[in-house]
Amino acid sequence: RIMAIISISLGVFNLLPIPILDGGHVVLAIIESIRGKPVPAQALQISLKVGMSLLILLIIFVVYNDLSKVLAF
């Protein structure tokens, strides 16, 4: 049961529209199909850097919250 919850949570998180995740690639593919031409390489690179930065900030936030709960006792 726990493995199923973890798997579903990971799948939902992976579909978030953050450019470095699969959901971001889906959004970029939709943008390309609407525009009719590929997204410029520089714009793609910037969006991937922003997405990675968001993920790193999320990881730092989660680790901080976990450590603050453990050290609060």
Side-chain angles (χ1 to χ4, degrees):
R1 187 173 187 189
I2 292 174
M3 290 299 291
I5 292 171
I6 291 172
S7 180
I8 291 170
S9 298
L10 183 62
V12 169
F13 182 77
N14 198 23
L15 288 176
L16 291 176
I18 298 173
I20 200 107
L21 300 175
D22 289 338
H25 291 289
V26 170
V27 170
L28 288 173
I30 291 171
I31 290 171
E32 285 181 2
S33 67
I34 290 172
R35 290 182 67 212
K37 56 184 177 179
V39 176
Q42 189 173 6
L44 182 61
Q45 213 172 29
I46 290 171
S47 68
L48 291 175
K49 287 179 183 179
V50 169
M52 182 60 97
S53 299
L54 288 172
L55 284 177
I56 290 171
L57 286 173
L58 179 65
I59 290 168
I60 291 170
F61 176 73
V62 168
V63 169
Y64 173 77
N65 276 342
D66 287 345
L67 289 177
S68 66
K69 288 178 183 177
V70 169
L71 297 176
F73 292 109

